[in-house]
Amino acid sequence: MDALKVASTPPFDHPGLRKNADGSYEADYVAQVFMFSPSKLTIPVGSKVTFYVTSADVVHGFEIAKTDVNMMAIPGWVNNATHTFDKAGTYLLVCNEYCGIGHQNMYATIEVK
Ligand code: CUA
């Protein structure tokens, strides 16, 4: 996948949450300096979510605190990881790979309720 065409390549042209036929979810994320799209996601407690992530520019991290989701967002590549959210709460998605001046402000939230 061409990193320069992320914004026009499905499903990353419309980042966000999709429900699968079996009741699980797919969440498609784009990382770019210094934000994640979507910046906020709300999912029902108990949901099994597979996260797909790519980068539109440089290498970023994709770590969801309090879960085992920890991968890299790489330009030209799609990584994925699956987690079942058994506990309600607000989960912080952070970039854990230094990516520039705004690195420490690069995060998103996932609301589980
Ligand atoms: Cu993106 Cu650090």
Side-chain angles (χ1 to χ4, degrees):
M1 189 174 88
D2 188 339
L4 297 175
K5 292 181 180 158
V6 165
S8 60
T9 304
F12 300 104
D13 54 342
H14 292 101
L17 193 68
R18 284 163 243 285
K19 193 169 191 177
N20 298 320
D22 67 359
S24 66
Y25 290 89
E26 169 179 336
D28 302 307
Y29 276 84
V30 174
Q32 58 188 305
V33 290
F34 296 102
M35 58 183 285
F36 291 102
S37 299
S39 61
K40 191 175 181 187
L41 209 64
T42 303
I43 55 180
V45 67
S47 297
K48 180 182 180 183
V49 183
T50 300
F51 295 88
Y52 294 87
V53 61
T54 191
S55 170
D57 43 40
V58 300
V59 173
H60 297 277
F62 188 100
E63 180 178 9
I64 304 174
K66 297 188 286 184
T67 76
D68 52 1
V69 175
N70 186 355
M71 53 186 169
M72 294 175 91
I74 301 170
W77 191 257
V78 180
N79 273 331
N80 71 83
T82 301
H83 183 75
T84 299
F85 291 86
D86 290 324
K87 285 184 183 163
T90 301
Y91 291 74
L92 199 59
L93 162 60
V94 298
C95 178
N96 61 1
E97 194 69 35
Y98 185 76
C99 56
I101 191 84
H103 162 71
Q104 68 270 26
N105 298 320
M106 184 170 170
Y107 68 94
T109 56
I110 298 168
E111 194 84 43
V112 178
K113 61 184 183 185

